């Protein structure tokens, strides 16, 4: 499994991580086994959020005794992202995750609290050793410009954004911005949430063909395509150990230029939308 830095010379995280949205809704034992199988296979980067119901509690059970192997990320809701509220929310997440620190802590999306207040809270959390780095989610290039003015260079570890084969809007401005400033891009919903291309579609057939030729699966090829750029990591969510193992193996698959070009043609980037798509 490859790793990539979270921010300029920041801590390294596995290029394929594990999403946990809705992981608390199905069979709990299967969810715990999925996380553990994923960690065993190298997906040590785990993404969660205070918004994801009991997902933090499921993670706590899955990672007991293994905290030091992990790169753990959680997020504060915009409605809690005041200076004091961010600190309280982080402490709540630490308690639920049964850990004393997060490797990265994110503002889930931009809300009405001034960015300066949230950033001040992040700085305080770093000074207290409760988080190692901080980042944002669902920020467009203009939001990142404002954030950079507030925080200064070299502070933003990542921007977590929607990115999958059928939604490539971030390639227009967000990825170039992040690459210019040494900010990691974390692709969320890399399988389109619940809309993965079917092999019966024209583009899905191209994906399937490449997968067969590489003795891989279409989902592994999709993850490899999304993480082809040096700044991009991806966090698929899986609730079965089999799915987790399949996704982890994508961390060792490198596509050829010809395969990347075929996927680029089958799933075109499209024009730049007016606003950043998000779920
Ligand atoms: P996703 O990862 O694109 O897709 C999850 C779906 O793919 C689930 O139905 C899952 O089924 C299925 N799946 C996973 N691996 C599979 C495999 N190998 N074979 C077949 N099916 C497979 O969707 P997502 O949960 O929306 O996104 C991933 C993570 O990104 C989230 O969990 C969350 O951590 C993060 N996220 C962040 C934001 C944000 O605003 N920052 C928004 C959305 C998501 P099973 O569950 O049955 O395995």
């Amino acid at each position: 499994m490859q790793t990539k830095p979270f921010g300029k010379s920041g801590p390294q995280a596995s290029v394929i991580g594990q999403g946990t949205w809705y992981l608390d809704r199905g069979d709990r034992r299967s969810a715990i086994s999925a996380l553990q199988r994923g960690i065993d296979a190298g997906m040590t980067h785990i993404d969660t959020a205070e918004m994801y119901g009991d997902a933090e509690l499921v993670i706590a059970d899955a990672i007991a005794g293994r905290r030091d192997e992990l790169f753990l990320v959680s997020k504060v809701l915009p409605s809690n992202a005041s200076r004091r509220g961010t600190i309280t929310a982080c402490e709540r997440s630490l308690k639920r995750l049964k850990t004393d620190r997060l490797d990265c802590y994110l503002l889930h999306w931009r809300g009405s609290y001034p960015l300066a207040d949230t950033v001040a809270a992040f700085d305080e959390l770093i000074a207290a050793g409760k988080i190692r780095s901080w980042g944002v989610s669902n920020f467009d290039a203009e939001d990142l410009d404002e954030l950079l003015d507030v925080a200064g260079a070299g502070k933003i570890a990542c921007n977590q954004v929607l990115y999958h084969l059928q939604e490539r809007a971030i390639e227009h401005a967000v990825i170039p911005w992040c690459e210019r400033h040494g900010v990691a891009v974390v692709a969320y919903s890399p399988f389109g949430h619940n809309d993965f291309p079917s092999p019966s579609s024209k583009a899905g057939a191209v994906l399937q063909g490449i997968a067969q030729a590489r003795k891989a699966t279409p989902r592994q090829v999709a993850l490899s395509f999304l993480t082809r750029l040096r700044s991009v990591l991806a966090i698929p969510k899986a609730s079965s150990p089999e799915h987790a193992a399949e996704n982890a193996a994508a961390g060792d698959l490198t596509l050829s230029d010809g395969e990347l070009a075929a996927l680029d043609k089958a799933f075109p980037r499209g024009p730049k939308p007016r606003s950043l798509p998000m779920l």
Side-chain angles (χ1 to χ4, degrees):
M1 172 69 67
Q2 300 170 54
T3 61
K4 289 184 182 175
F6 246 56
K8 241 180 206 162
S9 64
Q12 297 276 325
S14 64
V15 68
I16 310 296
Q18 307 197 65
T20 62
W21 192 23
Y22 288 112
L23 198 63
D24 60 330
R25 305 288 172 90
D27 180 74
R28 190 184 175 95
R29 266 191 308 188
S30 177
I32 290 173
S33 308
L35 286 169
Q36 292 174 335
R37 176 81 77 88
I39 296 168
D40 292 342
M43 291 194 296
T44 49
H45 162 191
I46 297 180
D47 178 79
T48 191
E50 62 168 335
M51 193 189 102
Y52 300 165
D54 285 341
E56 290 178 326
L57 302 178
V58 176
I59 294 169
D61 285 351
I63 66 171
R66 307 186 71 172
R67 175 65 186 91
D68 292 348
E69 295 172 54
L70 304 175
F71 189 92
L72 207 47
V73 181
S74 193
K75 312 183 194 83
V76 58
L77 277 168
S79 53
N80 288 335
S82 63
R83 180 153 186 175
R84 183 91 335 250
T86 300
I87 289 166
T88 308
C90 180
E91 285 168 347
R92 213 165 35 230
S93 285
L94 291 173
K95 208 165 176 187
R96 287 160 64 82
L97 286 160
K98 296 199 177 107
T99 185
D100 59 352
R101 68 203 184 276
L102 292 171
D103 295 283
C104 196
Y105 195 42
L106 315 185
L107 173 60
H108 209 144
W109 63 90
R110 198 168 172 180
S112 53
Y113 285 110
L115 290 174
D117 292 4
T118 314
V119 169
F122 286 155
D123 285 340
E124 206 175 315
L125 286 166
I126 287 186
K130 292 180 179 169
I131 65 174
R132 289 174 69 203
S133 64
W134 62 264
V136 290
S137 177
N138 297 301
F139 269 45
D140 208 339
E142 295 74 24
D143 300 310
L144 290 166
D145 280 335
E146 271 185 60
L147 181 64
L148 184 65
D149 280 347
V150 168
K155 294 286 198 66
I156 311 164
C158 76
N159 185 22
Q160 186 181 119
V161 278
L162 180 64
Y163 189 38
H164 56 84
L165 285 171
Q166 301 176 98
E167 181 47 81
R168 297 176 55 191
I170 61 163
E171 291 180 19
H172 290 283
V174 172
I175 292 182
W177 194 102
C178 289
E179 298 215 328
R180 264 197 318 278
H181 294 91
V183 173
V185 176
V186 179
Y188 76 66
S189 303
F191 297 148
H193 193 61
N194 283 320
D195 186 21
F196 192 73
S198 157
S200 61
S201 67
K202 205 171 149 203
V206 173
L207 183 63
Q208 173 92 353
I210 293 172
Q212 271 167 357
R214 295 299 302 270
K215 295 193 171 46
T217 68
R219 285 175 195 260
Q220 290 168 342
V221 172
L223 291 174
S224 182
F225 179 83
L226 297 174
T227 56
R228 72 201 181 283
L229 300 169
R230 66 184 160 86
S231 60
V232 185
L233 304 90
I235 46 167
K237 171 256 183 181
S239 32
S240 75
E242 295 74 22
H243 286 174
E246 177 182 337
N247 300 343
D252 296 316
L253 175 68
T254 305
L255 299 171
S256 68
D257 290 347
E259 289 163 340
L260 292 174
L263 289 166
D264 178 57
K265 195 166 163 212
F267 297 95
R269 178 190 292 191
K272 183 174 187 294
R274 223 174 267 246
S275 60
L276 190 70
M278 59 185 278
L279 282 193

